[in-house]
Amino acid sequence: MREKVEAVLDKVRPMLQSDGGDVELVNVTDKGIVQVRLTGACKGCPMSQMTLKNGIERIVLKEIPAVKGVEAVD
């Protein structure tokens, strides 16, 4: 599962990196929650929660139905 999530995050990274940010996979829990760390310009950005839910989570859920959600961790 972790490899599948990394592959999907690789699709999202260019969008984030174009704005000076990035995303790092921290963990995939047994309950199907993907934990990520937003870095660079994304860290602390007021729009980071929207980026997480409307961008990253939407794409991960679409491509990997076993994932139940995506959350940011520090």
Side-chain angles (χ1 to χ4, degrees), residues 5 30 52 55 65 74:
V5 173
D30 294 338
L52 180 70
D74 287 331

Side-chain angles (χ1 to χ4, degrees), residues 4-49:
K4 289 181 183 179
V5 173
E6 278 288 2
V8 174
L9 292 180
D10 284 343
K11 294 179 181 181
V12 176
R13 279 194 177 96
M15 173 189 66
L16 299 173
Q17 291 170 343
S18 70
D19 287 329
D22 207 344
V23 62
E24 171 188 334
L25 178 60
V26 175
N27 189 30
V28 179
T29 71
D30 294 338
K31 295 182 179 183
I33 303 299
V34 173
Q35 298 174 328
V36 298
R37 180 176 297 117
L38 297 173
T39 62
C42 291
K43 185 177 180 178
C45 170
M47 299 299 286
S48 65
Q49 196 61 28

Side-chain angles (χ1 to χ4, degrees), residues 41-69:
C42 291
K43 185 177 180 178
C45 170
M47 299 299 286
S48 65
Q49 196 61 28
M50 186 181 297
T51 298
L52 180 70
K53 293 296 176 184
N54 295 339
I56 299 169
E57 183 177 66
R58 181 177 56 83
I59 294 167
V60 171
L61 292 176
K62 178 181 174 192
E63 300 222 3
I64 310 172
V67 170
K68 304 301 179 210

